[in-house]
Amino acid sequence: PWYLLLRYFLNFLLMCALLGLQEQSSWCLGNLAGESAECRTQLRANGIVRPLMTLLQQHVRVTPSQHAH
């Protein structure tokens, strides 16, 4: 079943030091989340939120000119 892949991709988010693999894993997990409410529930149940937030906090930089006015 598809949900067995969750741990695989979550491991890339949590353990991989390569930003490119983290980004691709995030993209894949986002696509899964878009499939159905069941997919989103499985992702949350497998701990998707914290690793994604950590990834965003580490790698997304917002400059003052990007803020909405």
Side-chain angles (χ1 to χ4, degrees), residues 30-49:
N31 286 341
L32 286 172
E35 290 297 315
S36 69
E38 177 191 358
C39 291
R40 288 186 292 280
T41 299
Q42 285 292 329
L43 286 164
R44 283 192 301 270
N46 280 277
I48 186 68
V49 176

Side-chain angles (χ1 to χ4, degrees), residues 2-67:
W2 66 268
Y3 55 85
L4 296 176
L5 293 173
L6 293 179
R7 287 287 173 197
Y8 180 76
F9 289 115
L10 280 170
N11 282 334
F12 278 112
L13 287 177
L14 294 170
M15 313 271 272
C16 185
L18 300 172
L19 179 59
L21 288 178
Q22 288 177 320
E23 289 174 346
Q24 291 300 313
S25 294
S26 299
W27 191 277
C28 179
L29 292 165
N31 286 341
L32 286 172
E35 290 297 315
S36 69
E38 177 191 358
C39 291
R40 288 186 292 280
T41 299
Q42 285 292 329
L43 286 164
R44 283 192 301 270
N46 280 277
I48 186 68
V49 176
R50 187 171 298 233
L52 281 177
M53 293 303 295
T54 300
L55 183 66
L56 286 170
Q57 289 171 343
Q58 290 174 351
H59 299 290
V60 174
R61 304 287 186 252
V62 177
T63 63
S65 63
Q66 292 174 312
H67 287 262

